[in-house]
Amino acid sequence: MDKCSVAYTLSILVGKWKPLIILALSQEEILRYGQLKREIDGITHKMLSSQLKELEQAGIIHREEYPQIPPKVEYSLTEKGVAFLDVFNAMKIWGDRYASP
Amino acid sequence: MDKCSVAYTLSILVGKWKPLIILALSQEEILRYGQLKREIDGITHKMLSSQLKELEQAGIIHREEYPQIPPKVEYSLTEKGVAFLDVFNAMKIWGDRYASP
DNA sequence: CGGCATCCCAAGCGATACTG
DNA sequence: CAGTATCGCTTGGGATGCCG
């Protein structure tokens, strides 16, 4: 097994919140900032902002900003992000099978 | 997608070194402590010890101790650990397809 | 040879406040 | 409503040393 591509994938999962953000967006297609914040239990304002920015830079999510007052920003998964769900699916299968006592 | 089983799987991947340990053992079947240390570039004594212990407690790896002087300890993947390679495989597929720029 | 304990720094993260 | 900045705590993990 080649370590490099696995390492790249792991780099996406780094941090306490990124997986939860991706999963939240996988369920709702499109979510506004505030909706995401409510979906993800316990995440702080700062963390959500920074993690969203990192995921956007990684090309996992798309950010759509509407120039209006009050501001409105929508987030959604890119094709790359949707494909990432295969990884979560493998995790889910393994977790279902082996989740601890 | 159920978060719980995914979260359990993610908990296995927590830390800088656990994925590398699992991957190393996936390539060699059985490795002694010192061999693992040499396989995994840059890992410190302390980290290898602690991560091995955690993986053993999680049931991912098997620890076989030979009561002799000098000590000899062999590590290998359990069935649960081998099954975990499916997760890495999904990661590899995604990484190969989408690795950056 | 392999495990465990100690010390210590840096990164990660939370709380809070300010801005457009 | 969404984003940025600052501060300080907590924790992961690196370096080192002792023990069976």
Side-chain angles (χ1 to χ4, degrees):
Chain A
M1 172 111 47
D2 173 39
K3 287 175 193 174
C4 290
S5 47
V6 174
Y8 174 66
T9 309
L10 281 168
S11 73
I12 303 301
L13 295 170
V14 159
K16 189 171 167 179
W17 300 107
K18 292 209 192 82
L20 297 176
I21 295 173
I22 297 173
L23 285 176
L25 286 171
S26 77
Q27 289 168 349
E28 299 291 335
E29 297 279 317
I30 294 179
L31 284 173
R32 294 183 58 174
Y33 180 91
Q35 293 178 304
L36 265 172
K37 183 138 171 23
R38 264 171 271 122
E39 289 286 323
I40 301 173
D41 197 53
I43 194 169
T44 64
H45 192 36
K46 171 190 169 181
M47 279 297 106
L48 184 54
S49 298
S50 65
Q51 303 303 291
L52 283 171
K53 185 185 273 188
E54 288 184 31
L55 287 170
E56 188 196 358
Q57 283 168 358
I60 308 288
I61 63 177
H62 172 70
R63 179 179 185 278
E64 188 69 35
E65 183 172 358
Y66 298 86
Q68 59 185 46
I69 303 296
K72 172 179 169 183
V73 181
E74 288 180 343
Y75 291 93
S76 56
L77 292 179
T78 61
E79 184 235 336
K80 186 175 175 180
V82 171
F84 200 88
L85 299 178
D86 290 348
V87 175
F88 284 114
N89 201 45
M91 287 186 186
K92 176 176 164 21
I93 290 170
W94 187 88
D96 284 344
R97 171 91 176 73
Y98 293 102
S100 52
Chain B
M1 172 113 44
D2 171 40
K3 287 176 191 173
C4 290
S5 48
V6 173
Y8 174 67
T9 308
L10 281 168
S11 73
I12 304 300
L13 294 169
V14 157
K16 189 171 166 181
W17 301 106
K18 292 210 193 81
L20 296 176
I21 294 174
I22 297 173
L23 285 175
L25 286 171
S26 76
Q27 289 168 351
E28 300 290 335
E29 298 277 319
I30 294 179
L31 284 173
R32 295 183 58 175
Y33 179 91
Q35 292 178 304
L36 265 172
K37 183 139 171 24
R38 264 171 269 121
E39 289 286 323
I40 301 172
D41 197 52
I43 194 169
T44 64
H45 189 37
K46 172 190 170 181
M47 278 299 105
L48 183 54
S49 299
S50 65
Q51 302 305 289
L52 282 171
K53 184 186 271 187
E54 288 184 31
L55 287 171
E56 188 197 358
Q57 283 169 357
I60 307 289
I61 63 177
H62 173 70
R63 179 178 185 276
E64 188 69 36
E65 182 172 356
Y66 297 87
Q68 58 185 45
I69 303 296
K72 172 178 169 183
V73 182
E74 288 180 343
Y75 292 94
S76 56
L77 292 179
T78 60
E79 185 235 335
K80 186 176 174 180
V82 171
F84 200 87
L85 298 177
D86 290 348
V87 175
F88 283 114
N89 201 45
M91 288 187 185
K92 178 177 161 21
I93 290 170
W94 187 87
D96 284 346
R97 171 89 177 74
Y98 293 101
S100 49

